[in-house]
């Protein structure tokens, strides 16, 4: 239960926040864009922050793209962002496997999109599944048998709009039958703004499906896990107390920011409504909240 | 943790069990058949039990068929069973909605197969989804929008080898956006013998996916919920202490039998191995266990 004490961003607290922060960490879906549509005023706000010497970092749980693909998406929306400024859960999955020194002789089965596959390859891993298995249909009446690769040592599950029974069976066989096979979730977001017209089931849906068939819990590498923070700190060398996490989600963005010791700003342009924030049952409170990212520009620009 | 005290079925305890029991309740997958293949000796065993005046009941969590379709499957395998002797989770889902007097003006969205749809129609309900939505592909890049029926008052989720993103979105929209919309699970079996060559993700996989996107828990009508027992008792008027539940699964069959006050017999012809049964972490212990149903015939027939 929260006591409802969370400050709406205004010129005074906004000014203090701005002055105390060296890096702004932005979530993307519901904060920067919805689907393929930029949220109003984002471009000008990012430009302003850069002009004031602030470091910008983009930390997204959406695993459907690689960092390279994210940089291309930013550019297509008129915003120049380098790959090094992007920390996606697809990248985090590959970095996690690297951090535990998974042998590159082993294989990784992917329930998810091209983004995970590309990051795995860039990190030196061999992947199976992913987009390749999108159109595999199983006809139970034909008494099928799925042969799975015994060299799969990790299954990575992320957002997958091409989820199907074949992939679920393949992932389940690897996790249940390959000794020590890891079950990695890019993230567990229940729903997300995959398009700009409505919310869609997020990776939390696909991850839960694999939990349901394997009765195992995954290792989560995206927000709210602070796994990505280690890479971010190495890269930018800024104390987390001088960072502000800006996101639209309490249970991932705000929790991630708080767990890492960052300041936190919730924007109401994505999945969280004001009534969810103020609900007595909600116990994740950001330092500040505002409608959208561009409110910062309005409040802070001279 | 169990103390490992569970008796293997033998001539002595088997004889006592046989004499004290008026009705044998059988699970189907992994007990009577695997996929479309009858397990050895089942036909003769059922014949023997009937000849001895025992009541036979078939209680299955598999929602893919209706009771009519199950009776046809039994017949195709050379066993004559009446619809009235079959209690499937597809039937249970329809009976649950009837028991709470859901208005037949409302609609029911189905993530699952023909069996659920048929039972809903027999009970007077209008269904949407099910096999009809099996081939709907969603292309996120086309910025799609799923319009859902505001009259859907219940979503029933069962085993669905045609699970896809469209169905997950439809079910999620109904549960999240239609006020009071019920979330019914036929069952939560993690895996099952849908074919005779290997195990496949069960309804627990599809149900978990919808839990993941809605962050809600379902009402479960199949085993181990004892919802079906009420119908069974009305039909057969036999005290549960004079019933024996025979199944291959600890967390559904054996738990169901124990919760209802039945005797319980685990067969090792399905998903449970002897080492799972004897694992100190397992705390669901049947009264007896044996390899397969036909052991009863061998031990008990004169």
């Amino acid at each position: 239960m929260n006591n409802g004490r969370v400050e709406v961003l205004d010129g005074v607290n906004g000014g203090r926040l701005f002055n105390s922060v060296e890096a702004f960490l932005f979530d993307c879906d519901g904060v920067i864009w919805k689907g393929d549509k930029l949220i109003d005023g984002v471009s000008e706000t990012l430009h302003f922050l850069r002009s004031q010497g602030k470091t910008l970092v983009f930390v997204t749980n959406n695993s459907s793209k690689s960092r390279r693909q994210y940089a291309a998406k930013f550019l297509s929306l008129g915003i120049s962002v380098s790959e090094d400024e992007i920390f996606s859960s697809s990248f985090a999955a590959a970095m996690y496997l690297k951090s535990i020194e998974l042998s590159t002789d082993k294989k990784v089965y992917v329930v998810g999109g091209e983004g995970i596959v590309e990051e795995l390859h860039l990190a030196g891993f061999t992947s199976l599944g992913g987009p390749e298995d999108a159109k595999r249909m199983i006809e139970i009446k034909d008494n099928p048998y799925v042969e799975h690769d015994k060299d799969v040592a990790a299954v990575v599950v992320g957002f997958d709009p091409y989820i199907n029974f074949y992939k679920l069976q393949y992932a389940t066989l690897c996790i249940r039958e390959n000794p020590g096979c890891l079950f990695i979730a890019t993230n567990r977001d229940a729903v997300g703004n995959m398009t700009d017209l409505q919310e869609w089931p997020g990776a939390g849906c696909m991850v839960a499906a694999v939990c349901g068939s394997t009765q195992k819990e995954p290792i989560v590498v995206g927000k709210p896990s602070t796994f990505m923070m280690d890479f971010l700190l190495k890269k930018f060398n800024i104390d987390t107390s001088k960072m502000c996490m800006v996101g639209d989600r309490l249970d991932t963005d705000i929790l991630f920011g708080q767990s890492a010791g960052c300041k936190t700003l919730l924007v109401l342009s994505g999945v969280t409504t004001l009534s969810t924030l103020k609900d007595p049952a909600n116990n994740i409170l950001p330092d500040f909240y505002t409608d959208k990212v561009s409110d910062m520009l309005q409040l802070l620009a001279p």
Side-chain angles (χ1 to χ4, degrees), chain A residues 59-170:
Chain A
V59 187
T60 174
N61 264 359
N62 190 328
S63 63
S64 60
K65 292 183 168 58
S66 64
R67 296 200 295 168
R68 180 188 64 77
Q69 291 169 317
Y70 271 113
K73 175 166 180 170
F74 272 103
L75 204 58
S76 76
L77 295 169
I79 300 173
S80 178
V81 166
S82 94
E83 285 181 39
D84 283 350
E85 293 171 313
I86 298 166
F87 290 80
S88 61
S89 64
S90 52
F91 174 69
M95 288 306 102
Y96 178 81
L97 296 177
K98 221 170 166 175
S99 75
I100 60 163
E101 297 178 0
L102 184 79
S103 164
T104 52
D105 294 342
K106 295 292 185 179
K107 294 170 190 164
V108 182
Y109 187 74
V110 176
V111 179
E114 185 55 39
I116 299 171
V117 170
E118 185 168 319
E119 292 295 353
L120 287 171
H121 293 181
L122 288 170
F125 296 107
T126 303
S127 74
L128 297 171
E132 266 181 36
D133 287 346
K135 288 185 180 169
R136 292 212 192 224
M137 266 291 199
I138 291 287
E139 295 289 348
I140 283 288
K141 66 175 159 35
D142 300 335
N143 201 21
Y145 181 82
V146 171
E147 187 113 34
H148 76 284
D149 193 319
K150 304 295 185 293
D151 285 336
V152 170
V155 172
V156 176
V157 183
F159 172 66
D160 192 347
Y162 304 103
I163 186 77
N164 62 32
F165 196 50
Y166 176 89
K167 292 185 193 179
L168 290 168
Q169 169 69 329
Y170 203 107

Side-chain angles (χ1 to χ4, degrees), chain A residues 191-254:
Chain A
V191 294
N193 297 109
M194 317 305 172
T195 67
D196 63 356
L197 298 176
Q198 64 186 168
E199 289 171 1
W200 293 82
C205 175
M206 295 83 202
V207 169
V210 178
C211 294
S213 57
T214 61
Q215 298 184 297
K216 297 226 163 121
E217 286 298 305
I219 296 159
V220 181
V221 295
K223 296 173 282 184
S225 148
T226 54
F227 175 74
M228 274 193 280
M229 189 53 87
D230 295 338
F231 288 86
L232 217 146
L233 291 174
K234 259 180 229 159
K235 181 88 204 161
F236 296 105
N237 195 28
I238 296 173
D239 193 87
T240 57
S241 68
K242 293 183 176 173
M243 292 181 183
C244 177
M245 177 71 213
V246 184
D248 70 323
R249 233 179 254 267
L250 296 164
D251 59 352
T252 54
D253 300 321
I254 302 307

